[in-house]
Amino acid sequence: MSAAANASLLKAIASRRTIYQLKPELPASLTINDIQATVQAIIKDTPTAFNSQPNRALILTGETHKKVWNSVTDSIEAEAGKKRPASVRDEAYGSVIFFTDDKTTEKLQADFPAWAAAFPQFADHTSGAAQIISWTALEQLGLGAHLQHYNGYVKAALPDKIPAEWSVVGQLCFGTPAETTGEKTYITNQVEILN
Ligand SMILES: Cc1cc2nc3c(=O)[nH]c(=O)nc-3n(C[C@H](O)[C@H](O)[C@H](O)COP(=O)(O)O)c2cc1C
């Protein structure tokens, strides 16, 4: 990788931010198929323990996005708790739903019993990697996005055709950004070289 490509990668990583205020539209010249192709490539190439490939994803938009997020909103009793899922329903253009396939994890546990306890955690690790790479990539496409974890509520509201063994692990809600991000504060956190 050249220094310029490395700088561009680091810039993309630093540019990824949480953007809650969204408009339910796509930036000009971007299509939902572009988003699908991007997430598809990331799911394919994100590394997994023993190359087991437990990551799954789907993209909700249109009526299905509205229906799922309306159900999440209705399922939460406290009025204050409804605010975020209602904003996703009304202001996001879509949401990427990230899953891990529990059957894949169970097969790994059967095949490699000495590592059995580690595999659920490894599945979460690779899902987190896919989520954050996707978040970074969508923002490079000109979208704004934020990450949510209404996992059980989302699972309950998804269409029946989603396999029961797919566990919901995160939702990346996206649309056209309608706010600029504020300053972010950082702790001092030096990565040292030990020779
Ligand atoms: C693993 C992880 C879980 C997160 N969960 C949530 C969440 O459930 N709801 C939410 O609004 N933001 C969530 N966030 C967003 C963080 O609050 C946010 O990334 C952090 O404050 C830094 O801000 P930035 O995204 O603008 O850099 C999550 C972020 C990460 C990395």
Side-chain angles (χ1 to χ4, degrees):
M1 186 188 258
S2 69
N6 188 43
S8 152
L9 174 62
L10 294 179
K11 193 163 174 233
I13 291 168
S15 303
R16 180 226 47 80
R17 295 293 309 279
T18 293
I19 299 180
Y20 290 117
Q21 286 176 35
L22 302 169
K23 283 188 281 180
E25 55 197 56
L26 295 182
S29 82
L30 190 69
T31 69
I32 195 73
N33 299 94
D34 297 326
I35 295 169
Q36 180 192 30
T38 299
V39 174
Q40 183 78 70
I42 291 165
I43 292 294
K44 181 180 174 202
D45 279 322
T46 300
T48 60
F50 289 70
N51 197 29
S52 55
Q53 301 171 50
N55 282 323
R56 305 285 181 268
L58 60 81
I59 297 168
L60 305 180
T61 191
E63 278 310 303
T64 307
H65 170 85
K66 278 205 175 298
K67 209 173 136 199
V68 167
W69 286 99
N70 194 50
S71 164
V72 175
T73 307
D74 284 349
S75 303
I76 293 171
E77 278 183 23
E79 210 48 46
K82 292 178 182 289
K83 198 172 149 245
R84 182 71 69 210
S87 83
V88 175
R89 176 192 64 201
D90 299 334
E91 295 164 20
Y93 184 84
S95 42
V96 186
I97 312 298
F98 292 91
F99 306 83
T100 55
D101 177 15
D102 293 338
K103 267 201 180 148
T104 303
T105 302
E106 285 160 18
K107 180 166 186 328
L108 273 179
Q109 290 175 313
D111 290 348
F112 304 100
W115 290 84
F119 287 127
Q121 195 184 35
F122 288 168
D124 283 343
H125 291 172
T126 186
S127 180
Q131 291 170 41
I132 291 174
I133 299 168
S134 298
W135 191 354
T136 306
L138 294 200
E139 295 201 355
Q140 288 299 293
L141 290 171
L143 292 160
H146 58 95
L147 189 63
Q148 298 301 326
H149 296 90
Y150 292 94
N151 300 347
Y153 297 121
V154 168
K155 173 91 179 173
L158 285 172
D160 290 344
K161 70 174 191 172
I162 308 306
E165 63 271 20
W166 289 15
S167 290
V168 177
V169 283
Q171 305 87 49
L172 187 60
C173 309
F174 62 87
T176 294
E179 65 173 332
T180 50
T181 51
E183 276 296 300
K184 186 170 164 179
T185 56
Y186 296 90
I187 60 167
T188 303
N189 193 0
Q190 186 65 33
V191 177
E192 288 182 37
I193 299 173
L194 303 181
N195 261 320

